[in-house]
Amino acid sequence: MENHEKPHFGYIYPRPAVTTDCVIFGFDMTEELLKVLLIERGIEPFKGRYALPGGFIKIEAKTNEYGLVVEERNESLLECAKRELKEETGFDVQNIYELGTWSTPGRDPRCITITDAYYALVTIQPVRGGDDAADAKWVPLYQVLNTIKNLPEGMRFLAFDHDEIITAAHIRLQQQLCFEPLAFKLLPKRFSMSTLQKLYEAILEKNFDRRNFARKMLDSGILDVFPTESRNINYQLNLEKYEEFKRTGRLSNLIF
Amino acid sequence: MENHEKPHFGYIYPRPAVTTDCVIFGFDMTEELLKVLLIERGIEPFKGRYALPGGFIKIEAKTNEYGLVVEERNESLLECAKRELKEETGFDVQNIYELGTWSTPGRDPRCITITDAYYALVTIQPVRGGDDAADAKWVPLYQVLNTIKNLPEGMRFLAFDHDEIITAAHIRLQQQLCFEPLAFKLLPKRFSMSTLQKLYEAILEKNFDRRNFARKMLDSGILDVFPTESRNINYQLNLEKYEEFKRTGRLSNLIF
DNA sequence: CAGAAAACGCGTAATTTTAACACAAAACAA
DNA sequence: TTGTTTTGTGTTAAAATTACGCGTTTTCTG
């Protein structure tokens, strides 16, 4: 977000700066917690506060004689956001979805800034021992949300308006779970039923009966079954079956 | 979208132009059809084609010595979008929600343009005899969607990438119907049960049994009952009851 | 206006889905 | 080993969904 502040020529029709921010969700299988990736800001504004990873969109394009951007970029906002994430957090994010824009006046003290927010689903690699990005940190979502909820009126926990963004991202995740197989993008290819249940419980903030949950999942037919060496069973999403499940309109059976 | 093309000074860090487009849904009670408001473009590009109402955001702000926008706007993107709609279609839209951004390279042949898309829910006033905006037209949604679906590969019906936007808006409307009382924002304050059902059927593209639909709605308790002169009964949303319905987690009972 | 057709309100029964809980074998921890 | 937890497999009662029947009122149409 920094090297945007170099001097440049003024222009008559001011345009807002455009940035992207991303709520990266990950499911910590060992702690059985849904977490988000936050970054400690090293510079002002909000130096020392945690923030969502993101930054200014850098458009590589030329302007015509009127100052209008004419040369085609070779990427969309989404692709920009992906590239930024790669640069900033080292994550090669595949499952990323748009959340919405934030443009409240004054949200960025430096200049008028519109943020296009995303949320992404990644599998937290069990590479214990040191996170990649030095100042990046996986924080339990429920802790962040609780902190935000209990904040005194007018106070904020995260930098900028990231409190709102992360809250909205969680709600969206909860809702989209009804329509898309999002949970499976937070898990390794194969997983146990209890892990899947723990994840659903973490996302929806609800507890389910173990046996009813398993039956519902299995009856839906969207899971392939894989025995293991032990008596335990592993499962894997069958995407074709899921899509058929959607087509045949029985999706509401998977809503909890 | 027009008076943005006046010449102005170039700038080093090009920023994309930001526009808003809005899918305005309305329910035609006489025809029992869900419709969208489209505007015939009078100028290039896409002259003569239909498009979503919308246009460039005009930021009234001053820039500092570096050309950065520093003076606070007194409105957000959403408020901008509302104002634009008022100007362009005469609609004083209250129920408007963000849909997402579209920023595919080349989507606007004039310059790099990011669109923040919205969808709005209005009650079509039974002011028969001449639409307000001369070139604005209420078109049945199903006709638009069918036309788009059956288009040859690579061809488009509406201007720009508005085919995609309107399709996405319909999907979002279908989904949000599960979580918010959106249908009632398309109806007058009081309505008959069959009208409500016709609306649900139009949005979800599904047919329901008349008696089962009514029971489900009435059992939920979100409707207040009003007898009429005739034997028929009118209903009205009780927002408090709806919110309580949500809190007590019984919302899934209203999903069809 | 009269007869037909459609719309409306009220109801029942069969089926499916959900919710709550029992039990035993395997895995785990001390 | 022993007590505890986890996992797989049931059962049953309650609730919700689905598919209709029926008589009356309203609306349409010739």
Side-chain angles (χ1 to χ4, degrees):
Chain A
M1 286 185 151
E2 289 62 50
N3 53 8
H4 203 77
E5 290 167 355
K6 296 173 193 164
H8 61 78
F9 305 119
Y11 46 88
I12 288 178
Y13 287 98
R15 292 175 182 176
V18 176
T19 72
T20 61
D21 291 308
C22 188
V23 182
I24 306 182
F25 291 105
F27 186 60
D28 186 323
M29 307 238 307
T30 59
E31 295 186 46
E32 291 179 338
L33 285 177
L34 189 61
K35 295 185 172 181
V36 288
L37 191 66
L38 297 179
I39 293 193
E40 191 175 348
R41 287 183 59 81
I43 59 157
E44 294 292 348
F46 299 105
K47 183 173 177 176
R49 302 272 285 273
Y50 278 94
L52 298 171
F56 284 94
I57 292 293
K58 292 156 206 150
I59 297 179
E60 288 153 28
K62 288 189 179 162
T63 56
N64 65 7
E65 68 270 29
Y66 302 130
L68 291 168
V69 176
V70 288
E71 190 163 297
E72 278 198 7
R73 283 170 300 160
N74 51 359
E75 55 183 9
S76 65
L77 264 179
L78 174 62
E79 290 162 329
C80 273
K82 278 189 189 177
R83 188 175 40 74
E84 289 256 354
L85 278 185
K86 176 75 178 172
E87 291 171 15
E88 195 159 348
T89 69
F91 264 104
D92 209 339
V93 173
Q94 295 306 318
N95 305 302
I96 182 168
Y97 311 95
E98 193 184 9
L99 179 62
T101 59
W102 268 257
S103 60
T104 315
R107 58 178 300 279
D108 187 329
R110 292 166 296 185
C111 60
I112 289 186
T113 306
I114 293 177
T115 279
D116 194 22
Y118 291 81
Y119 66 104
L121 309 175
V122 304
T123 56
I124 298 184
Q125 298 306 331
V127 187
R128 286 287 132 225
D131 290 314
D132 290 17
D135 42 7
K137 197 176 172 184
W138 284 106
V139 185
L141 177 67
Y142 82 93
Q143 284 185 4
V144 178
L145 293 180
N146 276 342
T147 305
I148 292 172
K149 200 180 298 178
N150 298 322
L151 235 40
E153 179 71 21
M155 298 213 46
R156 281 173 171 171
F157 175 43
L158 300 175
F160 304 103
D161 48 8
H162 291 185
D163 284 3
E164 291 175 39
I165 296 177
I166 209 169
T167 303
H170 179 227
I171 293 174
R172 178 71 66 86
L173 177 59
Q174 289 181 325
Q175 293 185 349
Q176 286 303 111
L177 197 60
C178 301
F179 306 108
E180 300 296 332
L182 293 189
F184 306 97
K185 309 195 170 188
L186 290 161
L187 295 173
K189 198 163 180 182
R190 293 185 185 181
F191 45 83
S192 73
M193 187 58 79
S194 72
T195 300
L196 183 62
Q197 179 179 345
K198 288 283 176 4
L199 175 54
Y200 264 80
E201 293 179 335
I203 295 176
L204 297 175
E205 297 177 305
K206 232 195 263 189
N207 290 323
F208 304 107
D209 180 276
R210 178 176 59 90
R211 295 148 291 192
N212 293 335
F213 180 88
R215 181 189 7 257
K216 212 169 183 179
M217 276 292 164
L218 292 175
D219 285 357
S220 76
I222 63 169
L223 296 180
D224 288 338
V225 181
F226 295 91
T228 64
E229 323 81 52
S230 72
R231 193 185 61 139
N232 297 358
I233 302 173
N234 274 357
Y235 302 92
Q236 180 178 325
L237 175 69
N238 185 323
L239 200 53
E240 290 75 34
K241 295 252 184 75
Y242 187 93
E243 292 302 327
E244 188 192 329
F245 201 64
K246 271 192 0 188
R247 273 196 305 278
T248 54
R250 302 175 55 76
L251 196 76
S252 63
N253 291 17
L254 259 190
I255 295 177
F256 296 91
Chain B
M1 285 185 150
E2 288 63 49
N3 54 6
H4 203 73
E5 291 168 354
K6 297 172 192 164
H8 60 75
F9 305 119
Y11 46 88
I12 287 177
Y13 286 98
R15 292 175 182 175
V18 177
T19 71
T20 60
D21 291 307
C22 188
V23 182
I24 306 182
F25 291 105
F27 185 61
D28 186 321
M29 307 239 306
T30 57
E31 296 186 44
E32 290 178 338
L33 285 177
L34 189 61
K35 296 185 173 182
V36 288
L37 192 65
L38 298 179
I39 294 194
E40 190 175 349
R41 287 182 60 81
I43 57 154
E44 294 291 347
F46 299 105
K47 183 172 178 178
R49 303 273 286 271
Y50 278 94
L52 297 171
F56 284 94
I57 293 294
K58 293 158 206 149
I59 298 179
E60 287 153 29
K62 287 188 180 163
T63 55
N64 65 10
E65 68 270 30
Y66 302 128
L68 290 169
V69 177
V70 290
E71 189 164 298
E72 278 198 7
R73 282 171 301 159
N74 51 1
E75 55 182 7
S76 65
L77 264 180
L78 174 63
E79 291 162 328
C80 273
K82 278 189 191 178
R83 189 176 39 74
E84 288 256 354
L85 278 185
K86 177 74 177 171
E87 292 170 13
E88 195 158 349
T89 68
F91 265 102
D92 209 339
V93 174
Q94 295 306 317
N95 305 304
I96 181 168
Y97 311 95
E98 194 185 8
L99 179 61
T101 60
W102 269 257
S103 60
T104 313
R107 59 178 297 283
D108 187 329
R110 291 165 298 184
C111 61
I112 290 187
T113 307
I114 294 176
T115 279
D116 195 22
Y118 291 82
Y119 66 103
L121 309 175
V122 304
T123 56
I124 298 184
Q125 299 305 332
V127 187
R128 290 284 134 229
D131 292 314
D132 290 17
D135 41 8
K137 195 176 174 185
W138 283 106
V139 185
L141 176 67
Y142 82 92
Q143 283 184 5
V144 178
L145 293 180
N146 276 341
T147 304
I148 291 172
K149 199 180 298 175
N150 297 322
L151 234 39
E153 179 72 21
M155 299 216 42
R156 283 172 168 170
F157 175 44
L158 300 175
F160 303 105
D161 48 8
H162 291 185
D163 284 3
E164 291 175 39
I165 296 177
I166 208 170
T167 304
H170 179 228
I171 293 174
R172 178 71 67 86
L173 177 60
Q174 289 181 324
Q175 294 186 346
Q176 286 303 110
L177 197 62
C178 300
F179 306 108
E180 300 296 332
L182 294 189
F184 307 96
K185 308 193 170 187
L186 289 161
L187 295 173
K189 198 164 180 181
R190 294 187 183 178
F191 44 83
S192 72
M193 188 58 79
S194 72
T195 300
L196 182 63
Q197 178 177 345
K198 288 284 177 3
L199 176 52
Y200 265 81
E201 292 179 335
I203 294 177
L204 299 176
E205 298 178 301
K206 231 195 267 191
N207 290 324
F208 304 107
D209 180 275
R210 180 175 58 89
R211 294 147 291 189
N212 293 335
F213 180 88
R215 180 188 8 255
K216 210 168 183 179
M217 276 292 164
L218 292 174
D219 285 357
S220 74
I222 63 170
L223 295 181
D224 288 340
V225 181
F226 296 90
T228 64
E229 324 81 54
S230 73
R231 192 183 63 136
N232 298 355
I233 303 174
N234 274 358
Y235 303 92
Q236 181 178 326
L237 175 69
N238 185 323
L239 201 52
E240 291 75 36
K241 295 250 184 75
Y242 187 93
E243 293 302 327
E244 187 193 330
F245 201 64
K246 269 190 2 185
R247 273 195 306 279
T248 54
R250 301 173 51 77
L251 196 75
S252 62
N253 291 17
L254 258 190
I255 295 177
F256 297 90

